[in-house]
């Protein structure tokens, strides 16, 4: 077996000393994008608070082997879960003295699981509906589509206005039918950071007697603080009549390590169908509020420690730093001719597109990467142009001044290089190929030509050609191509 520190094979003939193993992990980690330092605008949420990582890691270790499967066996975990749910409920318009005093919830592994469970609860509340359906804006997170797919719930997608990037409430109301079990909206949407018209959508859902879920996975922990800082945040939480459930991810803007989200319901009756219970076997009766049964206490304890340490005043301070960073980044974008903000920032996303074909966005992303700034390209979709997404966290605040010059310099380099021109054959292929016509040989050839897969453990730094190819393809072909490409990466390298 391979004993090189390459991640080749995890099981050596003989066990290795702890120090050596940690060295291996640090070597592997050195290949990653930087999780700290305020230059990575997706995937990570960094408050840049000294000592917080160490605190969370210690708390994680203290509870890593505790099992959330049985809250009676591990009351420590039950207490911490209830405390997290209580904090989220109070922040989002529920709890004592509010109009939603009976809010309850569950701690899940992340936003996707929270959304799947919101859809499951809505579906299972209506066993009489044989073909349940979910109404969701086109800007809703892809996890709603995943929930619909896993749970065999039909998906009714309401388009978003290309100007406001929001769904029309009247169109949303019109999409609600007798089989609709849930209407969803976002506060804010991930892609563009805009807040949907929650009040009108929730009213339409309530009028039809249907549940309404607000996906605040991304923004649920910052919007209340931004509001306190004077930002005009429209009503989006349990203060809005008709909102029946809300999701908020603690591993995003609550700055907890990965693996923690909270799904809240307005009352216990709404939550009841979320549980899975099974007593019809000879083992223990299984009662699960979440998809996983055995659950590590690590992420929950780490989140608990993070909230206790940062406190309400800490989150307010971090939200102020983030608000200032957003303003600075948006100004930097406005100063580059040929770039346009997709929307005026109203939360913690800065998203921009190009108005000048010479300013190829995918090349711009690569040029920024080459300068140490890691942004997220978004492909064009249903009349919306390709764009660049920046998730802004508090750590960015100290780096904003450097971003403007880097962006201007990157844009200059893009203009000098010119846009990506796909070979005619590839462009035709992307425009005409149907997903089922993709053969392994074709994918292998494409991947090799694009520098993907093979024996390389990681994709290449320059992705503009790949992104241009994907952008030219319809969503179904994009999905299939990426499944194949990622499949090439996710293989053991013996
Ligand atoms: C609005 C929104 N909903 C859901 C999710 C899914 O969250 P996760 O990646 O934790 O599963 C995200 C992730 O970015 C999000 O932004």
């Amino acid at each position: 077996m391979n004993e090189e520190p390459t991640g080749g094979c995890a099981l050596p003939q003989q066990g290795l000393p702890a120090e050596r193993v940690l060295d291996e992990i640090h070597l592997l980690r050195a290949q990653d994008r930087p999780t700290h330092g305020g230059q990575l605008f997706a995937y990570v949420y960094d408050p840049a608070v000294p000592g917080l990582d160490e605190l969370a890691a210690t708390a994680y270790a203290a509870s890593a082997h505790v099992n959330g499967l049985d809250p009676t066996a591990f009351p420590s975990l039950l207490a911490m879960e209830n405390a997290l749910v209580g904090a989220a409920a109070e922040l989002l318009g529920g709890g004592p003295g509010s109009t939603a005093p009976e809010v309850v919830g569950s701690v899940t592994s992340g936003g996707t699981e929270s959304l799947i469970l919101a859809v499951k609860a809505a579906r299972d509340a209506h066993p009489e509906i044989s073909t349940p359906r979910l109404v969701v804006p086109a800007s809703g997170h892809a996890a709603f589509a995943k929930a619909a797919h896993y749970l065999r719930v039909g998906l009714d997608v309401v388009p978003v206005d290309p100007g406001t990037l929001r769904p029309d409430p009247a169109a949303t109301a019109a999409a609600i039918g007798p089989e609709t079990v849930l209407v969803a909206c976002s506060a804010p949407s991930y892609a563009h950071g805009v807040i949907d018209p929650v009040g009108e959508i929730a009213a339409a859902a309530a009028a039809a007697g249907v549940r309404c879920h607000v996906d605040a996975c991304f923004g649920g922990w910052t919007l209340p603080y931004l509001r306190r800082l004077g930002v005009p945040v429209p009503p989006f939480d349990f203060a809005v009549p008709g909102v029946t459930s809300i999701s908020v991810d603690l591993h995003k803007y609550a700055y907890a390590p990965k693996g923690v989200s909270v799904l809240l319901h307005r009352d216990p009756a709404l939550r009841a169908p979320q549980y899975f219970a099974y007593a019809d076997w000879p083992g223990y009766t299984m009662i699960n509020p979440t998809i996983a049964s055995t659950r590590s206490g690590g992420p929950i304890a780490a989140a608990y420690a993070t909230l206790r340490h940062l406190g309400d005043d800490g989150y307010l301070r971090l939200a102020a730093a983030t608000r200032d960073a957003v303003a600075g980044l948006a100004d930097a974008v406005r100063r580059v001719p040929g770039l346009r903000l997709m929307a005026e920032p109203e939360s913690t996303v800065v998203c921009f597109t190009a108005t000048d074909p010479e300013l190829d966005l995918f090349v711009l992303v690569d040029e920024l990467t080459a300068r140490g700034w890691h942004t997220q390209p978004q492909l064009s979709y249903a009349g919306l142009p390709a764009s660049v997404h920046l998730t802004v966290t508090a750590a960015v605040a100290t780096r904003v001044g450097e971003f403007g010059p880097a962006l201007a310099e990157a844009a200059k380099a893009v203009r000098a290089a010119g846009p990506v021109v796909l070979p005619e054959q590839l462009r035709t292929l992307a425009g005409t190929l149907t997903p089922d016509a993709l053969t392994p040989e074709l994918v292998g050839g494409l991947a090799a030509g694009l520098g993907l897969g093979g024996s390389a453990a990681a994709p290449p730094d320059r992705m503009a050609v790949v992104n241009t190819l994907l952008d030219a393809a319809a969503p179904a072909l994009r999905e299939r191509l990426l499944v194949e490409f990622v499949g090439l990466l996710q293989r053991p390298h013996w």
Side-chain angles (χ1 to χ4, degrees):
M1 289 185 201
N2 187 355
E3 295 192 9
E4 292 303 304
T6 58
C9 178
L11 190 65
Q13 286 292 346
Q14 269 130 30
L16 303 172
E19 224 168 89
R20 158 95 191 265
V21 176
L22 288 175
D23 283 348
E24 288 181 8
I25 292 175
H26 291 138
L27 248 159
L28 287 167
R29 284 280 289 108
Q31 303 167 14
D32 294 343
R33 293 191 171 194
T35 53
H36 292 78
Q39 290 192 295
L40 175 52
F41 292 104
Y43 314 116
V44 301
Y45 298 78
D46 179 14
V49 171
L52 186 63
D53 276 0
E54 292 73 14
L55 169 67
T58 307
Y60 194 109
S63 294
H65 295 287
V66 173
N67 195 340
L69 169 65
D70 183 350
T72 62
F74 302 106
S76 70
L77 214 49
L78 180 64
M80 285 190 273
E81 282 204 58
N82 283 338
L84 293 175
V85 169
E90 279 199 354
L91 202 59
L92 295 168
S98 75
T99 53
E102 289 186 65
V103 168
V104 289
S106 307
V107 174
T108 75
S109 64
T112 300
E113 187 179 3
S114 288
L115 297 187
I116 292 174
L117 289 170
V119 176
K120 178 206 167 339
R123 182 196 71 173
D124 290 356
H126 288 283
E128 79 286 2
I129 299 180
S130 56
T131 51
R133 305 192 67 81
L134 160 68
V135 172
V136 64
S139 53
H141 195 275
F144 284 116
K146 183 171 176 176
H149 177 74
Y150 276 25
L151 298 167
R152 291 187 187 273
V153 169
L155 200 58
D156 292 311
V157 178
V158 180
V160 294
D161 181 287
T164 65
L165 305 168
R166 293 178 177 82
D168 172 26
T172 307
I176 302 172
E179 294 171 326
T180 306
V181 293
L182 184 67
V183 178
C185 52
S186 316
S189 64
Y190 176 80
H192 308 118
V194 302
I195 302 164
D196 287 341
V198 175
E200 288 160 280
I201 290 176
V210 175
R211 293 178 182 223
C212 174
H213 180 81
V214 177
D215 177 5
C217 284
F218 185 84
W221 211 269
T222 39
L223 291 178
Y225 290 103
L226 291 176
R227 183 184 283 147
R228 273 163 60 181
L229 291 164
V231 175
V233 173
F236 73 96
D237 59 17
F238 284 117
V240 178
V243 169
T244 52
S245 56
I246 304 180
S247 48
V248 56
D249 291 355
L250 305 189
H251 64 202
K252 293 193 169 74
Y253 283 98
Y255 295 116
K258 303 271 182 271
V260 190
S261 169
V262 175
L263 172 60
L264 300 168
H265 294 273
R266 188 179 280 274
D267 62 49
L270 287 162
R271 182 180 63 174
Q274 181 191 311
Y275 284 88
F276 176 79
Y278 198 75
D280 211 358
W281 74 306
Y284 57 89
T285 298
M286 192 159 141
I287 311 288
N288 292 157
T290 56
I291 295 174
S293 191
T294 284
R295 284 188 297 148
S296 168
I300 292 165
Y304 178 82
T306 304
L307 263 66
R308 298 292 294 168
H309 186 59
L310 290 178
D312 190 59
D313 61 333
Y315 285 114
L316 191 64
R317 197 170 27 79
L318 292 168
T322 310
R323 173 203 57 189
D324 295 347
V326 166
L329 295 173
D331 275 346
V333 172
R334 285 190 200 96
R335 281 198 297 270
V336 176
L339 293 183
R340 168 178 79 79
L341 290 169
M342 286 291 289
E344 280 305 312
E346 54 188 82
S347 57
T348 54
V349 171
V350 173
C351 180
F352 59 90
T353 187
T355 51
D356 177 351
E358 289 303 305
L359 202 52
D360 187 316
L361 277 187
F362 300 135
V363 182
L364 183 65
V365 166
D366 286 347
E367 290 295 338
L368 283 168
T369 305
R371 288 164 176 77
W373 298 90
H374 304 276
T375 60
Q376 192 172 50
Q378 298 183 141
L379 305 178
S380 57
Y381 169 76
L384 301 177
S387 58
V388 178
H389 169 107
L390 312 184
T391 286
V392 186
T393 57
V396 179
T398 56
R399 310 297 302 264
V400 173
E402 298 162 63
F403 182 75
L407 182 64
E409 216 186 273
K412 216 166 129 191
V414 174
R415 285 185 188 281
V420 169
V421 181
L422 279 186
E424 185 59 37
Q425 204 192 354
L426 266 188
R427 215 184 26 231
T428 312
L429 203 67
T432 55
L433 199 67
T434 54
D436 45 338
L438 267 184
T439 60
E441 293 73 34
L442 192 56
V443 173
L446 260 177
L450 295 167
L452 300 166
S455 60
D461 286 341
R462 298 233 159 218
M463 294 292 286
V465 176
V466 177
N467 284 323
T468 306
L469 174 72
L470 291 170
D471 200 59
L477 183 58
R478 289 174 187 173
E479 291 163 4
R480 186 62 209 287
L481 276 170
L482 283 170
V483 165
E484 298 291 341
F485 288 163
V486 172
L488 289 174
L489 294 173
Q490 294 184 322
R491 289 196 283 194
H493 295 291
W494 283 292

